[in-house]
């Protein structure tokens, strides 16, 4: 596991875009990119769009799979993750919309939708690189604490806390926040050939400490990535403070963890 400390959120965006762009360019033919929503990946998406506009990055061979979607929600609802992706990335790059996959928040049979999503990922040859965010409680996608390492794409009931936190995006009306979500599982995420987790801001610092420095446990879903063969956590200096303090500025790192500081 690699921890990469970048100066600020914009630098996390640049460095993660370098990784994504290099990976896309290194693979001939079809490329499968796993995407995340939330405020953290926005600088990354801004960089990808800028590089595409500059003629440096082509998405014609890219198929994408998003981590999760509210349930129930219409794709054209302004808080749906499909709409988020369209607004912040898909509308601005040359990805073929038919090759963008977001779980259907209006599926009449949500369990069948989740099963079919897993099948589609397999049929595409698996995810080459998955972008992840992290919650303050260590969740990844909608895998809240308690989600097991073998969990697959499934229907999840949202914690009341998560619904309350997210009600700010629904005019502060908690009753408007969907009660459930469809989410890739930890097992699904783990199968991506590479995972990059982005975190910015001091309030994510403790989640990074538990995910990287403490033994893996379903109580902190992101900690389950420790056993992944190719995973990098890209964090900004605010987020890194607690981690650097606990590791004596990176001099005392657990086995298997490397630290890189990007100037
Ligand atoms: P955020 O969400 O990027 O908006 O902080 C991340 C997450 O909860 O996974």
């Amino acid at each position: 596991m690699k921890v990469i400390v970048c100066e600020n959120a914009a630098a996390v965006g640049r460095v993660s875009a370098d990784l994504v762009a290099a990976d896309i360019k290194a693979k001939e033919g079809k490329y499968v990119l796993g995407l995340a929503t939330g405020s953290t990946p926005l600088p990354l998406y801004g960089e990808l769009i800028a590089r595409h506009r500059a003629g440096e990055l082509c998405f014609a061979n890219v198929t994408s799979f998003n981590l999760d979607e509210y349930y129930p929600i219409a794709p054209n609802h302004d808080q749906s993750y499909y709409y988020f992706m369209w607004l912040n990335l898909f509308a601005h790059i040359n990805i073929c919309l038919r090759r963008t996959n977001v779980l259907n928040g209006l599926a009449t049979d949500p369990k069948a939708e989740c099963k079919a999503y897993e099948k589609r990922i397999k049929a595409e040859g698996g995810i080459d690189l998955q972008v992840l965010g992290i919650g303050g409680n260590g969740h990844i996608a909608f895998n809240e604490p308690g989600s097991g390492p073998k969990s697959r794409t499934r229907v999840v009931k949202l914690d009341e806390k998560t619904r309350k936190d997210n009600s700010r995006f629904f005019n502060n009306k908690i009753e408007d926040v969907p009660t459930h979500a469809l989410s890739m599982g930890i097992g699904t995420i783990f199968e991506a050939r590479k995972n990059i987790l982005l975190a910015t801001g001091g309030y994510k610092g403790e989640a990074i400490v538990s995910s990287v420095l403490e033994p893996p446990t379903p109580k902190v879903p992101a900690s389950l990535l420790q056993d992944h063969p190719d995973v990098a956590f890209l964090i900004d200096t605010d987020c890194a403070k607690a981690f650097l303090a606990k590791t004596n500025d990176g001099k005392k790192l657990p086995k298997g963890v490397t630290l890189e500081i990007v100037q």
Side-chain angles (χ1 to χ4, degrees), residues 37-41 133-135 139 141 168 203-204:
T37 50
S39 49
T40 315
I134 182 171
H139 75 212
R168 68 187 191 281
Y203 72 105
K204 300 266 176 92

Side-chain angles (χ1 to χ4, degrees), residues 2 9 27-28 31 64-65 67 72 86 88 101 110 119 129 131 150 156 172 186 190 218 223 225 234:
K2 211 190 257 181
K27 196 175 174 201
E28 286 201 7
Y31 186 84
S64 70
F65 284 92
L67 286 170
W86 183 82
N88 293 298
N101 295 278
K119 259 191 158 165
L129 181 151
V131 177
K150 295 205 161 77
V156 291
N172 293 316
I186 309 271
F190 204 84
S223 70
L225 294 169
L234 286 90

Side-chain angles (χ1 to χ4, degrees), residues 49-188:
I49 293 165
R51 291 173 197 207
H52 170 67
R53 286 187 178 149
E56 294 163 14
L57 191 55
C58 173
F59 292 86
N61 289 330
V62 174
T63 296
S64 70
F65 284 92
N66 261 81
L67 286 170
D68 48 13
E69 178 59 288
Y70 284 117
Y71 187 83
I73 202 162
N76 61 356
H77 187 291
D78 65 4
Q79 290 307 321
S80 83
Y81 288 168
Y82 180 82
Y83 186 75
F84 176 99
M85 289 313 304
W86 183 82
L87 193 68
N88 293 298
L89 186 63
F90 299 156
H92 314 287
I93 58 174
N94 67 330
I95 195 164
C96 169
L97 278 184
R98 273 184 296 110
R99 293 214 197 102
T100 61
N101 295 278
V102 181
L103 284 148
N104 178 4
L106 285 185
T108 42
D109 184 344
K111 275 192 190 160
E113 168 69 8
C114 293
K115 245 183 151 172
Y117 204 68
E118 289 271 347
K119 259 191 158 165
R120 285 215 296 281
I121 295 174
K122 276 214 173 79
E124 291 295 335
I127 294 170
D128 288 303
L129 181 151
Q130 176 67 56
V131 177
L132 295 164
I134 182 171
N137 62 1
H139 75 212
I140 46 176
F142 272 121
N143 295 289
E144 297 290 358
S147 302
K150 295 205 161 77
S151 51
R152 309 301 307 186
T153 305
R154 67 202 185 289
V155 184
V156 291
K157 190 172 185 311
L158 297 186
D159 284 357
E160 275 316 285
K161 171 149 183 2
T162 302
R163 291 185 70 225
K164 200 163 166 243
D165 285 352
N166 292 5
S167 64
R168 68 187 191 281
F169 301 117
F170 290 82
N171 300 319
N172 293 316
K173 285 194 194 152
I174 189 163
E175 63 276 17
D176 287 353
V177 182
T179 50
H180 290 74
L182 309 180
S183 177
M184 273 190 205
I186 309 271
T188 322

Side-chain angles (χ1 to χ4, degrees), residues 16 19-21 23-24 31-35 44 65 126-132 192-196:
S16 54
L19 295 177
V20 172
D23 212 47
I24 292 176
Y31 186 84
V32 183
L33 180 60
L35 296 168
L44 161 64
F65 284 92
I127 294 170
D128 288 303
L129 181 151
Q130 176 67 56
V131 177
L132 295 164
R193 286 181 268 285
K194 290 185 187 181
N195 269 292
I196 59 170

